[in-house]
Amino acid sequence: MKKRRWLLFLIVCIFAVGTCIPSYGAEKAMITKEKAIEIGKQALKDYFNMKVDDSKYHMQVENRKDWNNPKRYVWSMNWTYDDAIEHISAFIVLDSSTGEILELNKDQQKYGQQTGQSTKLTEEEAKAKAEAFINKILPGKLEETELAYEDNSYRPMGTPFPIRYQFRYVRLIDGIKFEGNYINVGIDGATGEVQSFYYRWDDIGDLPKPEGIKTSEEATRIYRNRMNMDLIYLPIRDETKPYYNIKNIKLAYRPSLDFSMLDAKTGLPIGWDGKTRPSQESKELTPARIQEIKKQAKPIAKQDQEISRERAEKIAREVVSDQFGGKIQIDAANYIEGDHYWDTAGRKAWNVLFTIEDSKGKNGQIMIDALTEEIIALSAWTSEPYAPNMKPEVTWEQAYDNAIALIAKYHPDKIDQLKLKQLKPEEPVPDASGNIYYPMEYYFNFPRLIDGILYEENQFSVSIHARTGGMLHFNCRWSEDLPLPPKTQTISKEQAKDVIFKYNDAELAYNRVHTSTQPQDPKTETRLIYQLAPKQAKANPYMLIDAVSGRPIDYQGKDLNLDSITKFEKAIQGHWIEKEATILAQQGIIDKSNFEPNRPITKIEAIKMLVECKGNNYYIPQMTKEMGAGGDSRDVEEEVEYTDITEDSEDYPYVKKAIRYGIIENLKEPLKREETLSREDLAVMVVRTLGYDALAQARQIFRVSFSDQDQIQDEKIGYVAICEGLKLVEGGNTIFRPKDKATMAEAASMIYRSLQHFNRW
């Protein structure tokens, strides 16, 4: 009886204590959920003109720690609506203590909308909208910020959708940036509506004074002295072919730093913990060990014909059994060749899938060179349990040795052509729950060295199991007969650094560093730091430098034209085409380096602009039918028929895509791409780009209102009429001047107006 009484007493006590324990949200939130929802709905109405109907929208509400500041709790709310016609979603984050709006986001789309809006606002006009919104939602805060550069010259999905402008305003304290505090606003370039708002503004307390610190010049010198300039072979991809196809190779310098910020007082590199960064541990082979492995290499015999399926399966069984043990079952064997496969780098190969029957379902893949019988790739995978705090049983150093052993086993001849130094990764730290997620595997990448110059397109990639030390993945991506450029007449590393620091220097800023390694009890301290920052738009500290010309380039080897930006702005300033040209340039449709509004446009310049409208950042082959030797029909890629352009021309990718998009016909005659275009010929190209070519050819159903219509070539009447009907050109008894040379400004105007008629999908 006493035991039962004690048990009853214990249950009552537990219940009493349990009812006193506040919920997760209630403990930290001073604002109730109901009040938060009320504030959120009002914000949607005030700022997005959106009235929430509870019967229509699905709502999710969460009270959680702020991801930007774990000491702050927030209410996170999301409303969504979907039907067969449209999708609407709105997202709001409020400070749980004050009710202050920290984030707002709205997205609304109509399904199946093929044509419609195009960018109507320039970046300056969109910025004015953003600043008006900030002044409305945060009165007085804008004056305490500085606009940070954001690259708004992009096109989602490669087509001329409206630009979604992003503006980032960083907090200024006595003229010094405070990187952790900001106001971000997104503006729809078509409607001018606010799409997103992100805001973080902390009570910062006492800040360190900018006294006794390094000057910007001193910090810039430190950055320069510690910056490494790697000379690399940069692969230039053929944009008319699959991604892996290399057209040629350039020599370039690539800057690299092993830190991101300097302590402004000491001038020493520091990490996000505020501590001076020690040299990162690394491992590599000694020259003697490299030679020892190299001596194991046997001559590689390249056969005239590909090995048979049976031979490939035999090799697969032997290699897989030797590497993993067990009974091997071949599931499939396929012959592959061409440039579509990353692993093979264009080599002819057999791809064999296998299962190790007595290894709890472990299966994998092996790729074998069909001419040399070398192992290109070998992987084995299985489903294994993984949980936090599961420590590795193999050290990183042991895994490195195992990775090297695999290269020595399968490709000892290449060991002296690799960058073997590997940096040891930092130890993982506990997450907010105190759990540590150790790696399941160690990953190593050994890029190829050609006479001491990096060519990272070729590499060995190896991953080692962190608990068993066994191989999970092995790949040798290697190419022969590379079109390497001569190494003569390259600029020096110091000259390459001159270019980097022409456009970048050290910038003083406040930054918050983490002084606690415990996410459950975060502690921070604000420091004065220097960070490397661009002096002008579109520059960045890590851009590539052409090792021959000394010009900044992108990863496709194209000149960034940093100095042509002001040239373009001067060319269009005050011109009637200024706004349209500005918007087209932001979308990459106009080439800023050669745009002269009043100059007649050439055929190739018009082709390039129209191809950029359709999308020039992905590969779509144009296929045609060809009869095989046995009389069978097969699909092959259509070649350019024009007689005055070859594949090595920089214009070739544009011409090929113009044919693909139907902008021009593929004719066996000279293209004469440097000839200027008449206004009626430009109309033909624009209408063909829109996909109305067949309609335009039914010229008998069209009429135009131009007073000089009798001068329009008869077969081009339909094209000009469509341009007039879509208001790409002005009609109404004016003159069209069909035979006049079209200027770049006239082409830009017609193309800009045509964008709203493009098929988006």
Side-chain angles (χ1 to χ4, degrees):
M1 178 66 71
K2 287 183 179 179
K3 287 183 179 179
R4 291 177 64 185
R5 286 178 179 173
W6 273 107
L7 181 60
L8 180 61
F9 175 74
L10 180 61
I11 292 171
V12 170
C13 288
I14 291 172
F15 178 76
V17 172
T19 57
C20 296
I21 297 173
S23 67
Y24 171 73
E27 181 186 9
K28 299 298 181 181
M30 295 175 64
I31 292 176
T32 65
K33 181 176 78 170
E34 291 71 24
K35 184 62 176 176
I37 293 172
E38 180 187 333
I39 294 172
K41 287 182 175 179
Q42 189 63 43
L44 291 178
K45 182 180 178 182
D46 291 344
Y47 301 116
F48 289 152
N49 195 28
M50 175 179 167
K51 187 176 180 180
V52 176
D53 181 348
D54 290 334
S55 65
K56 176 179 176 180
Y57 286 87
H58 173 69
M59 183 179 69
Q60 292 176 302
V61 183
E62 178 187 14
N63 186 245
R64 58 170 172 80
K65 286 184 177 181
D66 183 16
W67 296 323
N68 296 74
N69 182 358
K71 291 184 178 180
R72 174 196 285 138
Y73 276 74
V74 297
W75 283 108
S76 174
M77 295 166 284
N78 187 42
W79 286 270
T80 57
Y81 170 76
D82 273 291
D83 63 17
I85 298 175
E86 65 178 343
H87 163 82
I88 305 172
S89 65
F91 178 72
I92 297 182
V93 175
L94 304 178
D95 188 302
S96 291
S97 298
T98 66
E100 189 173 34
I101 298 172
L102 301 178
E103 298 178 22
L104 278 171
N105 196 298
K106 180 189 175 186
D107 180 52
Q108 185 169 359
Q109 300 176 28
K110 289 190 180 294
Y111 298 123
Q113 183 175 357
Q114 294 188 340
T115 62
Q117 298 172 328
S118 58
T119 304
K120 300 290 192 301
L121 277 69
T122 65
E123 189 168 9
E124 281 300 310
E125 291 170 331
K127 187 178 83 166
K129 298 274 188 183
E131 294 184 352
F133 180 79
I134 294 171
N135 286 328
K136 179 180 179 181
I137 196 170
L138 297 169
K141 281 286 193 287
L142 189 62
E143 288 72 23
E144 301 177 49
T145 67
E146 178 178 281
L147 179 63
Y149 169 68
E150 292 287 334
D151 187 3
N152 281 310
S153 57
Y154 75 100
R155 291 170 292 148
M157 299 175 65
T159 53
F161 281 69
I163 294 175
R164 294 190 174 187
Y165 290 105
Q166 299 294 328
F167 300 97
R168 179 178 176 84
Y169 296 85
V170 180
R171 185 177 183 179
L172 282 182
I173 302 174
D174 296 328
I176 301 172
K177 285 183 180 178
F178 189 87
E179 286 291 345
N181 285 188
Y182 54 83
I183 307 169
N184 294 350
V185 180
I187 300 291
D188 187 310
T191 65
E193 295 176 351
V194 175
Q195 290 186 313
S196 60
F197 165 78
Y198 299 92
Y199 166 64
R200 292 297 184 276
W201 207 272
D202 300 323
D203 181 8
I204 54 178
D206 294 331
L207 292 174
K209 302 292 183 185
E211 299 169 353
I213 63 173
K214 301 289 183 183
T215 65
S216 176
E217 291 77 14
E218 290 172 323
T220 300
R221 264 197 308 275
I222 295 170
Y223 269 107
R224 178 176 178 128
N225 292 337
R226 295 185 67 102
M227 178 177 280
N228 187 40
M229 299 297 291
D230 293 321
L231 185 60
I232 65 170
Y233 283 119
L234 178 68
I236 309 301
R237 307 189 187 281
D238 188 337
E239 296 175 352
T240 68
K241 294 182 179 178
Y243 175 78
Y244 306 136
N245 192 278
I246 307 301
K247 181 170 62 174
N248 58 55
I249 295 173
K250 274 190 174 185
L251 274 166
Y253 281 107
R254 183 183 60 199
S256 62
L257 288 164
D258 59 359
F259 65 97
S260 59
M261 55 185 174
L262 295 174
D263 187 297
K265 281 189 176 291
T266 65
L268 295 174
I270 58 173
W272 294 107
D273 57 1
K275 296 178 181 178
T276 302
R277 291 180 62 87
S279 298
Q280 196 169 352
E281 292 184 58
S282 63
K283 189 168 184 180
E284 60 183 317
L285 296 187
T286 63
R289 177 61 179 143
I290 293 172
Q291 288 306 311
E292 183 182 332
I293 294 173
K294 181 78 172 177
K295 288 178 182 177
Q296 301 173 19
K298 297 177 181 178
I300 298 171
K302 190 171 184 178
Q303 304 177 53
D304 294 330
Q305 290 187 334
E306 298 83 0
I307 60 174
S308 66
R309 181 190 304 272
E310 292 73 22
R311 174 62 179 163
E313 291 184 0
K314 182 176 184 297
I315 295 170
R317 290 179 189 278
E318 292 172 353
V319 172
V320 174
S321 178
D322 176 65
Q323 186 63 48
F324 301 110
K327 185 179 179 182
I328 311 303
Q329 173 185 305
I330 301 298
D331 299 321
N334 303 308
Y335 175 78
I336 57 176
E337 66 175 82
D339 302 309
H340 298 268
Y341 305 95
W342 168 260
D343 296 283
T344 61
R347 286 184 285 177
K348 299 177 178 181
W350 281 97
N351 182 39
V352 181
L353 303 180
F354 61 85
T355 298
I356 304 175
E357 295 181 351
D358 52 352
S359 63
K360 298 180 181 179
K362 180 182 284 188
N363 50 33
Q365 171 189 34
I366 182 171
M367 284 187 172
I368 303 163
D369 190 303
L371 296 177
T372 66
E373 299 188 354
E374 293 175 290
I375 305 305
I376 296 174
L378 178 59
S379 300
W381 51 87
T382 186
S383 177
E384 293 188 33
Y386 179 70
N389 307 311
M390 189 180 288
K391 291 186 177 181
E393 297 179 18
V394 176
T395 67
W396 177 83
E397 290 80 4
Q398 291 170 328
Y400 175 91
D401 291 338
N402 292 352
I404 292 295
L406 287 167
I407 298 174
K409 182 177 184 178
Y410 295 121
H411 293 275
D413 59 303
K414 297 178 176 65
I415 192 72
D416 60 343
Q417 302 172 59
L418 299 175
K419 182 181 178 181
L420 297 170
K421 183 177 180 179
Q422 299 281 296
L423 298 177
K424 184 177 180 178
E426 295 182 357
E427 291 294 322
V429 297
D431 64 10
S433 303
N435 292 318
I436 300 178
Y437 289 86
Y438 293 97
M440 291 184 66
E441 61 186 280
Y442 296 110
Y443 179 77
F444 301 92
N445 182 271
F446 303 95
R448 183 177 182 179
L449 284 170
I450 303 175
D451 296 329
I453 301 173
L454 279 170
Y455 182 61
E456 293 169 325
E457 187 76 9
N458 284 181
Q459 58 185 260
F460 279 81
S461 57
V462 185
S463 60
I464 303 295
H465 200 295
R467 290 203 301 275
T468 67
M471 183 264 286
L472 291 171
H473 173 75
F474 173 86
N475 175 232
C476 166
R477 192 169 193 281
W478 209 264
S479 306
E480 303 296 340
D481 304 321
L482 295 169
L484 298 176
K487 292 184 291 183
T488 57
Q489 298 179 339
T490 58
I491 63 173
S492 68
K493 290 187 177 183
E494 288 304 309
Q495 288 173 314
K497 285 185 182 181
D498 288 341
V499 181
I500 292 292
F501 288 95
K502 174 184 176 182
Y503 299 104
N504 303 275
D505 61 8
E507 175 186 69
L508 185 65
Y510 288 111
N511 217 326
R512 191 180 288 124
V513 297
H514 298 271
T515 56
S516 169
T517 58
Q518 301 300 320
Q520 305 93 327
D521 183 27
K523 294 178 182 177
T524 61
E525 177 186 319
T526 302
R527 296 269 190 92
L528 272 169
I529 59 102
Y530 277 106
Q531 57 192 5
L532 204 54
K535 297 179 185 178
Q536 69 176 61
K538 302 193 185 303
N540 74 79
Y542 303 102
M543 57 193 180
L544 299 178
I545 306 299
D546 189 304
V548 177
S549 70
R551 299 285 302 162
I553 56 175
D554 63 16
Y555 274 83
Q556 186 56 12
K558 295 178 180 178
D559 198 314
L560 291 177
N561 293 315
L562 296 179
D563 299 321
S564 69
I565 297 171
T566 53
K567 174 187 171 186
F568 171 75
E569 291 169 348
K570 288 178 181 177
I572 63 172
Q573 189 173 15
H575 199 282
W576 62 266
I577 198 62
E578 181 176 3
K579 179 176 179 176
E580 293 89 340
T582 299
I583 291 172
L584 291 177
Q586 286 171 331
Q587 294 179 295
I589 295 171
I590 278 179
D591 183 354
K592 290 183 178 182
S593 66
N594 67 1
F595 188 79
E596 302 171 48
N598 299 323
R599 176 172 65 78
I601 192 168
T602 65
K603 186 182 292 185
I604 191 61
E605 287 169 338
I607 285 172
K608 288 180 178 180
M609 290 173 69
L610 292 167
V611 166
E612 294 290 355
C613 288
K614 293 289 286 185
N616 186 38
N617 60 345
Y618 54 89
Y619 166 74
I620 303 175
Q622 175 71 32
M623 308 304 290
T624 188
K625 293 290 185 182
E626 179 181 271
M627 296 302 293
D632 57 320
S633 175
R634 59 177 181 171
D635 289 330
V636 295
E637 190 171 347
E638 184 178 7
E639 296 299 326
V640 174
E641 296 285 347
Y642 286 106
T643 57
D644 56 350
I645 187 168
T646 56
E647 286 195 42
D648 58 354
S649 168
E650 291 186 1
D651 297 335
Y652 187 84
Y654 288 96
V655 172
K656 191 162 189 176
K657 286 184 179 178
I659 295 168
R660 168 68 180 85
Y661 291 136
I663 299 170
I664 57 175
E665 295 181 83
N666 192 11
L667 304 174
K668 199 162 190 175
E669 63 184 33
L671 177 60
K672 300 178 182 178
R673 57 190 187 278
E674 297 302 332
E675 283 190 356
T676 55
L677 277 181
S678 69
R679 285 170 54 83
E680 63 181 2
D681 286 335
L682 176 63
V684 171
M685 290 177 69
V686 172
V687 169
R688 287 178 64 96
T689 307
L690 291 174
Y692 300 145
D693 182 50
L695 178 63
Q697 290 181 33
R699 57 184 183 272
Q700 66 276 8
I701 68 173
F702 291 105
R703 69 173 193 170
V704 294
S705 63
F706 297 111
S707 59
D708 58 351
Q709 59 180 285
D710 58 320
Q711 297 178 30
I712 301 172
Q713 194 171 334
D714 190 42
E715 58 263 28
K716 296 173 184 175
I717 285 286
Y719 297 92
V720 176
I722 290 174
C723 286
E724 182 184 354
L726 296 178
K727 300 191 183 309
L728 309 188
V729 292
E730 296 297 335
N733 206 33
T734 60
I735 60 172
F736 179 64
R737 299 180 288 113
K739 307 303 182 188
D740 284 7
K741 294 178 179 179
T743 66
M744 298 193 90
E746 289 169 339
S749 175
M750 194 180 295
I751 289 170
Y752 173 79
R753 296 182 184 196
S754 73
L755 291 181
Q756 63 184 309
H757 302 289
F758 270 66
N759 190 317
R760 303 298 188 197
W761 307 101

